Amino acid sequence: MIKSCVTIALVPEIKTGPWIFWENLETGIAKAADLGFDALELFTPAASAIEPEILTGLLQKYNLALAAVGTGAGKVIHGLTLTDPNQEIRKQAITFISDMISFGAQFGAPAIIGSMQGNVVPGVEREQAFEWLAEGLTKLGKHAQSEGVSLIYEPLNRYETNLINTLGDGAAFVQALSTSNVKLLADLFHMNIEEVSLPDSIRAHGASIGHVHFADSNRRPVGLGHTAMADIATALREITYNGYVSAEAFPWPNPDEAARQTIKAFKQYFNNQ
Ligand SMILES: [Mn+2]
């Protein structure tokens, strides 16, 4: 069963990002519930930003699940990445993500590593950067396992990282780690830029996919760009994907209409599963 999810971002520094809701936590949750979403994906400044008891209460009140937690604030606010040449910064990046994993795990939600993977920066050998990334993902994947959740690693398009841009390269990389607890995020916006065929790539690497970001070719809500979504939905059903398709899309033309468009598209492509 494929489930619907909508993003709520509570990080002022990244207000121009592709997240649907920006209001305070309860407003976003209430709107998500009203539209019939199954779950939320949360972006917060840190693991300590929301009291777990408060979130538990709100999820129960509105009968929603927490699908995943994002870690991008670690880079945006603190400049932390897993591939920084400075060992102390890499260590802080691991601590930041580790805390986010433990926060999400209280709700059964995995953490996502996207921008915090970083880049191969000038002066660093490519192999060295990949070693640091592998080291970080392995440590964090094992920590997530001890907390009872998976860890989600997200290949990004070439304009956001020079490490891994496709599901295929991501699958080869996580399969070589000494933990099997790291899964991939199939972000349909990044994939639209990088993959030869989105459905073929989903079919080829289905076993590695743990989460999906649901956005159209221009990163607007699904239905407002030119991605051929029907074939992608078919591929996700073929791999018997049973996780979330989460709207990480621009709040275009505004958050409420973007959320309505997303749930309409979700019903169109996934309701007859
Ligand atoms: Mn994404």
Side-chain angles (χ1 to χ4, degrees):
M1 179 90 172
I2 297 171
K3 294 160 282 184
S4 61
C5 179
V6 66
T7 46
I8 299 181
L10 303 169
V11 183
E13 287 87 344
I14 51 172
K15 262 201 171 139
T16 54
W19 295 283
I20 301 289
F21 288 126
W22 290 103
E23 295 97 338
N24 75 61
L25 183 62
E26 180 158 10
T27 308
I29 290 180
K31 286 181 174 182
D34 188 47
L35 287 167
F37 281 96
D38 297 309
L40 317 166
E41 180 176 326
L42 267 185
F43 292 83
T44 66
S48 56
I50 299 174
E51 283 298 324
E53 298 74 28
I54 290 176
L55 185 55
T56 301
L58 289 172
L59 293 173
Q60 281 173 357
K61 179 176 172 188
Y62 292 98
N63 193 27
L64 286 166
L66 187 65
V69 290
T71 59
K75 183 179 183 200
V76 176
I77 300 177
H78 306 289
L80 305 176
T81 73
L82 296 174
T83 51
D84 194 287
N86 183 328
Q87 186 181 5
E88 182 54 33
I89 291 179
R90 294 198 304 277
K91 211 173 127 196
Q92 286 175 29
I94 287 176
T95 302
F96 183 92
I97 297 168
S98 218
D99 290 347
M100 200 60 94
I101 288 169
S102 299
F103 172 76
Q106 298 173 72
F107 307 92
I112 296 167
I113 297 177
S115 64
M116 279 196 80
Q117 65 191 276
N119 273 286
V120 186
V121 296
V124 172
E125 294 289 333
R126 201 162 169 78
E127 292 72 24
Q128 176 66 76
F130 277 103
E131 248 174 62
W132 288 331
L133 181 62
E135 198 181 300
L137 290 185
T138 303
K139 253 185 208 166
L140 292 164
K142 288 179 177 173
H143 172 62
Q145 189 155 28
S146 76
E147 294 275 25
V149 287
S150 59
L151 177 66
I152 307 290
Y153 170 71
E154 179 172 18
L156 306 173
N157 75 70
R158 66 190 70 183
Y159 307 106
E160 298 187 36
T161 187
N162 55 12
L163 287 164
I164 292 174
N165 305 123
T166 62
L167 278 192
D169 287 349
F173 190 74
V174 299
Q175 278 160 18
L177 301 174
S178 64
T179 169
S180 58
N181 197 41
V182 183
K183 302 295 178 200
L184 296 179
L185 202 164
D187 180 307
L188 304 182
F189 166 73
H190 297 307
M191 289 179 72
N192 171 66
I193 295 170
E194 298 294 346
E195 305 285 350
V196 175
S197 158
L198 279 76
D200 287 353
S201 183
I202 287 168
R203 275 189 286 265
H205 308 293
S208 298
I209 298 175
H211 196 63
V212 173
H213 275 161
F214 192 51
D216 218 313
S217 53
N218 48 12
R219 225 176 196 180
R220 287 183 181 176
V222 170
L224 304 181
H226 60 72
T227 295
M229 199 56 68
D231 295 342
I232 293 168
T234 300
L236 286 169
R237 279 192 294 268
E238 279 175 20
I239 63 163
T240 61
Y241 178 67
N242 63 359
Y244 294 97
V245 292
S246 180
E248 188 191 57
F250 288 123
W252 191 91
N254 58 59
D256 290 356
E257 285 186 47
R260 267 197 298 276
Q261 172 63 33
T262 292
I263 200 70
K264 184 178 140 200
F266 176 82
K267 286 177 181 163
Q268 179 184 348
Y269 293 111
F270 297 107
N271 252 16
N272 299 319
Q273 51 191 320

